[in-house]
Amino acid sequence: MTKLTREAFSALRKGATVIEADPKGEKVLRLGDGSFLKLFRRKRILSSALLFPPARRFRNNVESLAARGIPCPQVTELYEFDSEGKTAVRYWPLPGDTVRGLLPGLPAAERGAMLLRLAAFIARLHDLGIYFRSLHFGNVILTPSGEFGLIDLSDMRAQRAPISRPKRIRNFRHFFRYKDDARFITELGTARFLAAYNDASRVRMEAAHLARMPNLNPAS
């Protein structure tokens, strides 16, 4: 992990565009060369981030996805800020468009086809041992080659075996908490989405498992 002084950071961010920020400061920058810089703040003085910085976790998650053949960003550098309790990861973004951005502009038939492909992609992730808590339409990219990939990978865990059914249910609960996303699946039909998932999955999900999902009409 490269040490980054305030002077070096100022030089690095020269000409950068702020992509994401909060009241405490910048979170994601697009640098002058087109690469991205994602910054992480340590929230507590005593934190697991001391032993396992989130920038390193991001890189490890990228490596886990790449090893499984899932398109994802390409990490180029990890940084540690001097005396500020912050780390950062620099990466090349994954080319393509988010599913969230694409769906509203598609005809109904194409929208439905994309959602069925997405269901199969989620099944593949689960079977590959990927539990991505921040799974939603805004974090799934359709690449120029027509593959689905993932971005914003801090909140992810990878294991060797397929994830369990309870974890899959929990992951879907996070997935359906976005009302505008869930309405597209209701429009398609929850049963069709579930059938596409099951056709691609090693662990079968039942309609009852989706019955209490937020923003979802399981009878559709």
Side-chain angles (χ1 to χ4, degrees), residues 13-192:
R13 78 171 307 288
K14 186 175 181 180
T17 301
V18 178
I19 302 299
E20 185 180 348
D22 64 17
K24 293 184 178 180
E26 298 167 343
K27 297 179 70 176
V28 181
L29 302 171
R30 182 189 290 116
L31 302 180
D33 64 354
S35 64
F36 279 50
L37 188 72
K38 185 174 178 67
L39 299 104
F40 302 94
R41 291 186 296 271
R42 196 169 69 236
K43 297 179 181 179
R44 297 180 299 277
I45 295 176
L46 296 177
S47 167
S48 60
L50 283 169
L51 299 176
F52 194 32
R56 187 168 291 141
R57 184 168 66 243
F58 186 103
R59 182 194 62 190
N60 289 354
N61 288 341
V62 164
E63 291 174 350
S64 293
L65 287 178
R68 290 163 169 81
I70 304 296
C72 55
Q74 180 184 352
V75 172
T76 61
E77 188 70 77
L78 302 182
Y79 297 104
E80 182 178 12
F81 288 71
D82 284 347
S83 306
E84 293 189 29
K86 291 194 296 186
T87 60
V89 57
R90 186 175 183 178
Y91 60 90
W92 291 105
L94 179 64
D97 298 292
T98 66
V99 169
R100 182 174 287 160
L102 289 170
L103 282 176
L106 294 177
E110 292 183 30
R111 192 160 59 234
M114 180 177 288
L115 288 170
L116 294 176
R117 286 186 57 211
L118 180 62
F121 175 69
I122 295 171
R124 180 185 175 201
L125 292 177
H126 289 169
D127 284 352
L128 288 172
I130 299 298
Y131 179 74
F132 185 26
R133 192 174 184 274
S134 295
L135 180 66
H136 57 67
F137 288 179
N139 281 341
V140 180
I141 295 287
L142 184 67
T143 69
S145 65
E147 295 181 276
F148 286 126
L150 298 178
I151 60 172
D152 199 9
L153 300 170
S154 304
D155 197 8
M156 192 194 97
R157 296 290 183 272
Q159 62 187 47
R160 292 183 180 180
I163 66 173
S164 65
R165 183 177 287 109
K167 277 189 176 180
R168 294 175 192 233
I169 295 170
R170 193 156 62 244
N171 205 187
F172 273 123
R173 189 169 291 117
H174 291 299
F175 181 68
F176 289 121
R177 74 184 185 274
Y178 298 92
K179 185 178 295 185
D180 288 343
D181 295 348
R183 68 182 176 87
F184 286 117
I185 295 174
T186 297
E187 177 188 277
L188 168 73
T190 305
R192 290 184 66 194

